[in-house]
Amino acid sequence: MASLITCPHCGERPKEEFTIRGDATVTQPSPEADGEVWHAYVHLRENPRGLHKEYWHHTSGCRRWLVVTRDTVSHDVIDVSDAGAAA
């Protein structure tokens, strides 16, 4: 059985319609930040166990950016919200 994601705009859709785009918990440094700060932002990331927020793009649907809260152990999707509304 295919995994389903409930898009707030399109309803239940197969996960293959979405593209995971990265960690939604980090904040981009200012353009003036030094190289060490940018190195840490780009290359050094945590690999959390448990609930984690990620940016997902509904590439084959409404094309909206979403924030998906997912359990990294079981891969269960806990919550999905519009990334624009969260900002």
Side-chain angles (χ1 to χ4, degrees):
M1 176 189 289
S3 295
L4 299 174
I5 306 293
T6 303
C7 174
H9 307 285
C10 305
E12 279 193 344
R13 308 299 304 158
K15 72 175 169 84
E16 290 78 19
E17 288 189 6
F18 300 86
T19 305
I20 299 174
R21 292 297 183 178
D23 189 342
T25 65
V26 296
T27 304
Q28 183 175 349
S30 73
E32 295 81 27
D34 68 17
E36 290 290 320
V37 172
W38 276 101
H39 170 74
Y41 171 74
V42 173
H43 300 290
L44 305 177
R45 296 293 172 97
E46 296 293 320
N47 189 10
R49 180 177 175 87
L51 296 184
H52 187 63
K53 292 185 180 209
E54 302 165 322
Y55 285 117
W56 287 35
H57 187 238
H58 196 175
T59 50
S60 297
C62 61
R63 303 189 59 78
R64 301 287 294 261
W65 285 96
L66 308 171
V67 175
V68 174
T69 304
R70 181 176 68 88
D71 187 325
T72 61
V73 177
S74 66
H75 300 291
D76 290 338
V77 172
I78 308 304
D79 185 54
V80 181
S81 61
D82 186 281

